[in-house]
């Protein structure tokens, strides 16, 4: 199997590249990543010398590079590459449309041209919008994105769907809830709060802190994608979620408790515009049809994550200082 993973230097992508290379050591993996602020080769240090792993620096918008890679005997494309942070999408929506919509279209065109066996789009539960106090998102829930980020992901998803309907391409879309775990960039709630707690800085909680997210340990997301890439039925969408809803305040309190720090660090700040109140995923389809089951309970997962950040405090310092091979060392198209 010859796999092209895009965005494989980011948080979920790098966890998945390592998961796949450990589980299927005979697979050939090509990782195409633009190494923007959120992606770093530091995340892949443990596998970067493996003979069947190749890193290529480049953007999914670069159609000639994408075409060159897809033309080299790739079987499957897994598209993890995305601008993913809601707050940044409020500042700069256009970047999100370029990467998440146009970038997906470039990949789809190339996958179609080279008649690849499969295309898997890694998406998000945010495309469904926001829930009230009850109910869950199923794969049939209408798309109702509320941020430029989620609108751009919904746009990408709809293009993937259209390439299945129009050109008969073998595609799947996965829509996962909030992930946490090692190597997550500290702009996202959990790593941000861990690192700020460790340094006794105020913890900015948007609004009343009662927004709800459904948290899943990143390795459980990887095992779900593994099943979808191998067994997903063509054209189908699969929701992935941990059945583990928590308010942001609960999350932050559990971090404070674990690190023995006072609640006085909590600092309520102005709410995020268009802030979705609650996400909750119904993952019955992937559980019953593909036999997926998450392995990590939240209590153990959050402890492992806090422990990882404690033991890897220098990871963040090294990323900030560019001590490892920094994106600027490489030119577009460089292969290592
Ligand atoms: C960064 C930050 C976040 N928050 C709140 C906003 C949200 O209700 C919650 C989680 O925020 P974020 O970590 O930014 O994640 P969220 O907006 O839910 O989106 C995440 O989860 C999505 C899946 O649901 C992914 O598609 C996105 O890429 C990912 O960023 O915490 C705060 O209260 N304070 C903060 O400083």
């Amino acid at each position: 199997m010859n796999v092209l993973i895009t965005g494989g230097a980011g948080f979920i992508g790098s966890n998945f590249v390592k998961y796949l290379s450990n589980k299927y050591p005979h697979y050939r993996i090509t990782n195409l990543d633009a190494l923007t602020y959120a992606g770093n080769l530091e995340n892949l240090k443990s596998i970067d010398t493996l003979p069947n792993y190749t890193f290529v620096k480049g953007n999914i918008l670069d159609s000639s590079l994408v075409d060159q890679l897809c033309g080299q005997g790739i079987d499957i494309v897994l598209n993890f590459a995305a601008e993913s942070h809601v707050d940044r999408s409020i500042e700069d929506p256009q970047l999100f449309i370029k990467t998440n919509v146009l970038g997906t279209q470039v990949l789809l065109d190339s996958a179609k041209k080279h008649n690849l066996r499969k295309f898997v789009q890694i998406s998000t539960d945010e495309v469904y919008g926001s829930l009230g106090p009850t109910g869950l998102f199923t794969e049939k829930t209408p798309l109702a994105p509320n941020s430029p980020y989620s609108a751009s992901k919904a746009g990408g998803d709809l293009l993937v769907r259209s390439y299945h309907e129009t050109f008969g391409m073998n595609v799947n879309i996965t829509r996962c809830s909030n992930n946490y775990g090692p190597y997550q960039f500290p702009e996202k709630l959990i790593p941000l709060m861990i690192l700020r707690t460790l340094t006794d800085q105020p913890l900015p909680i948007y609004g009343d802190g009662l927004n709800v997210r459904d948290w899943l340990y990143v390795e459980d997301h990887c095992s779900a994608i593994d099943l979808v890439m191998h067994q997903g039925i063509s054209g189908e969408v699969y929701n992935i979620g941990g059945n583990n809803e928590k308010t942001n305040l609960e999350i932050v309190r559990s971090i404070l408790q674990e690190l023995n720090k006072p609640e006085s660090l909590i600092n309520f700040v102005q709410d995020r515009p268009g802030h979705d109140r609650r996400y909750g995923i119904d993952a019955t389809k992937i559980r019953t049809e593909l036999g997926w089951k998450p392995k990590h309970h939240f209590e153990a997962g959050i402890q492992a994550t806090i422990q990882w950040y404690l033991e890897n405090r220098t990871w963040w310092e090294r990323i900030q200082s560019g001590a490892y091979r920094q994106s600027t060392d490489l030119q577009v198209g460089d292969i290592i």
Side-chain angles (χ1 to χ4, degrees), residues 27-318:
Y27 281 14
R28 283 186 55 202
I29 299 173
T30 303
N31 176 7
L32 172 67
D33 195 295
L35 296 178
T36 63
Y37 77 95
N40 204 292
L41 295 178
E42 173 95 25
N43 301 353
L44 294 150
K45 232 173 17 176
S46 61
I47 61 148
D48 68 3
T49 53
L50 293 180
N52 54 356
Y53 169 73
T54 307
F55 177 80
V56 181
K57 178 173 169 168
N59 197 303
I60 57 170
L61 284 160
D62 184 341
S63 51
S64 64
L65 179 60
V66 166
D67 208 43
Q68 188 195 325
L69 294 174
C70 286
Q72 289 172 358
I74 294 292
D75 296 299
I76 299 189
V77 175
L78 292 123
N79 182 26
F80 289 83
E83 292 294 335
S84 71
H85 195 48
V86 174
D87 296 327
R88 286 180 191 257
S89 82
I90 295 166
E91 299 293 317
D92 184 6
Q94 197 173 69
L95 176 63
F96 284 68
I97 302 306
K98 284 184 181 154
T99 303
N100 301 352
V101 183
L102 291 177
T104 301
Q105 183 258 323
V106 167
L107 289 170
L108 283 164
D109 264 350
S110 210
K112 172 163 110 23
K113 177 174 164 191
H114 296 285
N115 214 8
L116 304 195
R117 278 167 52 190
K118 186 154 189 163
F119 186 98
V120 182
Q121 169 79 346
I122 312 304
S123 190
T124 167
D125 60 354
E126 295 202 10
V127 296
Y128 297 122
S130 183
L131 290 166
T134 58
L136 295 172
F137 298 132
T138 74
E139 290 82 358
K140 294 199 168 18
T141 302
L143 304 192
N146 292 319
S147 70
Y149 160 67
S150 52
S152 69
K153 288 299 287 180
D157 287 12
L158 292 176
L159 277 172
V160 174
R161 178 194 144 87
S162 77
Y163 275 62
H164 173 71
E165 296 294 330
T166 305
F167 305 114
M169 264 177 64
N170 180 6
V171 305
N172 285 127
I173 298 170
T174 61
R175 295 191 179 133
C176 192
S177 57
N178 287 60
N179 280 215
Y180 68 101
Y183 299 98
Q184 189 168 29
F185 194 85
E187 64 185 349
K188 305 283 162 60
L189 182 74
I190 288 183
L192 181 76
M193 297 300 164
I194 294 173
L195 288 173
R196 290 183 75 91
T197 302
L198 283 173
T199 47
D200 295 307
Q201 292 179 72
L203 309 177
I205 307 243
Y206 300 160
D208 61 7
L210 298 180
N211 301 67
V212 173
R213 299 292 184 262
D214 180 355
W215 294 95
L216 183 73
Y217 195 65
V218 63
E219 196 182 300
D220 288 323
H221 188 186
C222 294
S223 70
I225 296 168
D226 175 12
L227 283 172
V228 171
M229 79 181 267
H230 291 100
Q231 295 171 41
I233 307 291
S234 180
E236 293 294 312
V237 175
Y238 294 94
N239 281 355
I240 305 166
N243 208 6
N244 180 54
E245 293 183 30
K246 305 263 182 225
T247 64
N248 297 334
L249 215 43
E250 284 175 303
I251 294 288
V252 170
R253 286 196 172 125
S254 66
I255 293 169
L256 286 169
Q257 211 177 344
E258 198 60 40
L259 291 171
N260 243 326
K261 296 284 178 153
E263 292 218 356
S264 55
L265 285 178
I266 291 176
N267 179 30
F268 289 96
V269 297
Q270 196 183 2
D271 208 355
R272 170 188 279 174
H275 196 176
D276 287 335
R277 191 63 174 168
R278 175 176 162 254
Y279 304 144
I281 275 274
D282 180 345
T284 308
K285 181 172 170 181
I286 191 168
R287 283 175 179 264
T288 56
E289 292 182 15
L290 303 186
W292 175 73
K293 207 171 155 214
K295 278 205 306 219
H296 300 269
H297 290 292
F298 183 75
E299 288 65 30
I302 193 78
Q303 273 174 20
T305 305
I306 292 171
Q307 194 56 33
W308 187 86
Y309 281 93
L310 267 171
E311 285 166 11
N312 292 276
R313 282 168 91 151
T314 54
W315 165 80
W316 179 226
E317 284 155 21
R318 285 197 305 276

